[in-house]
């Protein structure tokens, strides 16, 4: 008995040691980025871990730089993320509820087709989407929102797994009392699925906030920096002209830190619901 207890303590020690090492390796780049954002540097990339000279000028400069309107990028990205998250959440939750609670023809083939399509990364369609939006004259923020929302319905599997855990007897009892399918959905399904709604909203908000591929493809043709999102705007800051990487690297790092703050705060606040939603949705998905 004592030998088993000692073995278990040794096993736990090495597990926690491994997790500690992994956590340190994961946190070091984050600490470096934050420290680099306070580093005074006008010669190019920052080569030291701790700043040799501390300054707030990088954060001031990122907002006062007339060539690269960072504030416009934040507003554009926030607008796109909020609209996309709202519409995508509605579509995903609606599709998931229908496929979980209703029975109709072609339901199973649809589930199988959606599963196969979900295996392909979205950026495989970016060239086709570019020419479609170009033909519609929508190579702008509106077109970018359509791209994010267009495929939202295919991300229903986790939400469907969550709805599968809700007893169908609740729906049947409400229908016996005269409730319609829509009333069952709005009065019973939605209130009981708050963790899943938060999880879906958080994931669909984060995607546009950090996306570079689609924003770069769709918004690059405008040539107006004020129409860019954060990810493409920051990239353009370092690649717009020769020597930009040297001149604006410290401001670029400060912009990255500012970009990460809203997502971090939102994730910390919603973490409880996020974990509840993804674990519950994984039971029967």
């Amino acid at each position: 008995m004592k030998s088993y207890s000692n073995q278990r303590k040794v096993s736990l020690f090495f597990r926690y040691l491994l997790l500690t090492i992994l956590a340190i390796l994961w946190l070091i780049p984050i600490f470096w980025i934050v420290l680099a954002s306070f580093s005074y540097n006008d010669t190019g990339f920052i080569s030291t871990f701790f700043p040799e000279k501390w300054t707030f000028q990088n954060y001031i400069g990122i907002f006062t730089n007339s060539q690269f309107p960072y504030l416009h990028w934040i507003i554009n990205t926030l607008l796109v993320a909020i609209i996309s998250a709202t519409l995508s959440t509605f579509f995903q939750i609606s599709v998931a509820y229908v496929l979980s609670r209703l029975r109709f023809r072609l339901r199973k083939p649809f589930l199988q087709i959606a599963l196969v399509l979900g295996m392909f990364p979205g950026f495989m369609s970016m060239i086709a989407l570019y020419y479609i939006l170009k033909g519609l004259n929508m190579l702008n923020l509106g077109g970018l929102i359509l791209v994010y929302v267009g495929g939202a319905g295919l991300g229903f599997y986790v939400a469907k797994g969550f709805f599968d855990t809700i007893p169908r007897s609740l729906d049947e009892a409400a229908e016996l009392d005269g409730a319609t399918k829509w009333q069952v959905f709005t009065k019973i399904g939605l209130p009981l699925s708050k963790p899943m709604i938060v999880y879906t909203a958080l994931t669909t908000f984060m995607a546009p906030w950090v996306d570079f591929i689609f924003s770069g493809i769709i918004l690059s043709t405008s040539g107006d920096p004020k129409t860019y999102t954060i990810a493409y705007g920051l990239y353009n800051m370092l690649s717009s002209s020769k020597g930009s990487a040297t001149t604006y690297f410290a401001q670029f790092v400060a912009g990255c830190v500012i970009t990460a703050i809203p997502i971090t705060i939102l994730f910390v606040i919603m973490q409880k619901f996020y974990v509840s939603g993804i674990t519950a949705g994984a039971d029967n998905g």
Side-chain angles (χ1 to χ4, degrees):
M1 188 69 180
K2 185 176 181 181
S3 176
Y4 172 77
S5 178
N6 291 335
Q7 290 178 0
R8 189 170 183 275
K9 289 180 180 179
V10 172
S11 176
L12 287 175
F13 170 77
F14 282 106
R15 290 180 187 178
Y16 283 116
L17 179 63
L18 177 61
L19 291 175
T20 302
I21 294 174
L22 292 176
I24 293 174
L25 293 176
W26 181 74
L27 290 173
I28 284 177
I30 299 177
F31 284 135
W32 180 83
I33 291 175
V34 174
L35 293 174
S37 68
F38 292 101
S39 177
Y40 176 80
N41 187 284
D42 58 358
T43 59
F45 296 103
I46 300 169
S47 58
T48 59
F49 189 84
F50 293 98
E52 296 179 352
K53 184 178 179 181
W54 295 78
T55 180
F56 284 97
Q57 187 58 41
N58 297 328
Y59 287 93
I60 298 174
I62 193 69
F63 285 102
T64 58
N65 191 330
S66 58
Q67 185 178 355
F68 302 104
Y70 185 75
L71 186 59
H72 282 84
W73 300 345
I74 292 179
I75 294 174
N76 293 341
T77 308
L78 187 64
L79 179 66
V80 171
I82 290 176
I83 296 177
S84 299
T86 303
L87 296 177
S88 297
T89 300
F90 175 76
F91 290 146
Q92 284 194 30
I93 296 298
S94 299
V95 171
Y97 182 84
V98 168
L99 293 173
S100 173
R101 316 306 274 188
L102 304 183
R103 297 295 181 266
F104 50 89
R105 291 182 61 186
L106 302 180
R107 174 179 174 274
K108 289 186 177 180
F110 178 82
L111 288 171
Q112 295 170 349
I113 293 173
L115 180 62
V116 173
L117 292 177
M119 295 179 180
F120 295 93
F123 63 81
M124 290 182 62
S125 62
M126 61 183 178
I127 302 301
L129 290 173
Y130 171 81
Y131 282 105
I132 291 174
L133 293 175
K134 183 179 180 180
L136 297 174
N137 195 26
M138 292 191 66
L139 293 176
N140 47 38
L141 294 177
L144 189 61
I145 292 174
L146 286 180
V147 170
Y148 294 139
V149 176
L154 292 177
F156 64 85
Y157 264 95
V158 175
K160 176 186 176 297
F162 180 88
F163 282 118
D164 288 342
T165 64
I166 300 177
R168 296 184 61 86
S169 57
L170 296 176
D171 299 10
E172 295 170 356
E175 291 174 359
L176 288 175
D177 290 336
T180 62
K181 297 291 186 182
W182 176 254
Q183 289 174 330
V184 172
F185 173 59
T186 56
K187 303 297 184 181
I188 297 178
L190 290 183
L192 292 176
S193 61
K194 287 181 181 179
M196 180 51 58
I197 293 175
V198 173
Y199 162 77
T200 305
L202 187 58
T203 54
T204 53
F205 180 88
M206 288 192 296
W209 190 266
V210 300
D211 176 62
F212 166 75
I213 295 178
F214 283 111
S215 61
I217 291 293
I218 294 173
L219 302 178
S220 60
T221 58
S222 68
D224 183 5
K226 292 184 178 180
T227 64
Y228 297 161
T229 57
I230 291 177
Y232 183 68
L234 289 174
Y235 165 80
N236 193 64
M237 175 183 286
L238 296 187
S239 63
S240 59
S241 61
K242 186 177 181 180
S244 294
T246 301
T247 306
Y248 299 112
F249 181 73
Q251 291 186 14
F252 167 83
V253 175
C256 292
V257 173
I258 296 173
T259 303
I261 290 175
I263 291 295
T264 303
I265 295 175
L266 188 63
F267 186 84
V268 170
I269 295 175
M270 302 296 185
Q271 184 178 12
K272 177 181 178 182
F273 296 100
Y274 182 89
V275 174
S276 299
I278 194 171
T279 52
D283 288 342
N284 297 319

